Amino acid sequence: MEQIIRIGMDTSKHVFQLHGVNAAEEPVLRKKLRRKEMVAFFEKLPPTTIAIEACGGSHHWARLLQSFGHEVKLLPPQLVKPY
């Protein structure tokens, strides 16, 4: 797999959608993961930037992902769609 520089993560109650890009801004990752799969996936992934829509549960996920060494950016809801 190519080096992923940024991942956009769409959170929900049970399923997480991931979209990752490389340095050339080309999509290299598209995954749909359940909660347990998502935690295991990010534990193994080298540190990268992860963007999440700011909402009630996103702060929990941001703290968890930061504990794995990732940089997490919480985006206001009105800026998520263009991202």
Side-chain angles (χ1 to χ4, degrees), residues 48-65:
T48 189
T49 302
I50 303 168
I52 307 173
E53 178 182 357
C55 66
S58 62
H59 295 281
H60 163 74
W61 294 114
R63 286 189 299 273
L64 179 68
L65 295 170

Side-chain angles (χ1 to χ4, degrees), residues 23-70:
E25 297 293 326
E26 297 170 341
V28 293
L29 171 74
R30 287 198 176 125
K31 278 189 178 275
K32 183 188 287 191
L33 300 173
R34 298 212 173 270
R35 282 179 183 255
K36 290 180 183 178
E37 298 169 333
M38 190 271 297
V39 171
F41 174 79
F42 280 110
E43 280 180 324
K44 297 176 192 170
L45 189 70
T48 189
T49 302
I50 303 168
I52 307 173
E53 178 182 357
C55 66
S58 62
H59 295 281
H60 163 74
W61 294 114
R63 286 189 299 273
L64 179 68
L65 295 170
Q66 286 172 341
S67 73
F68 299 148
H70 301 291

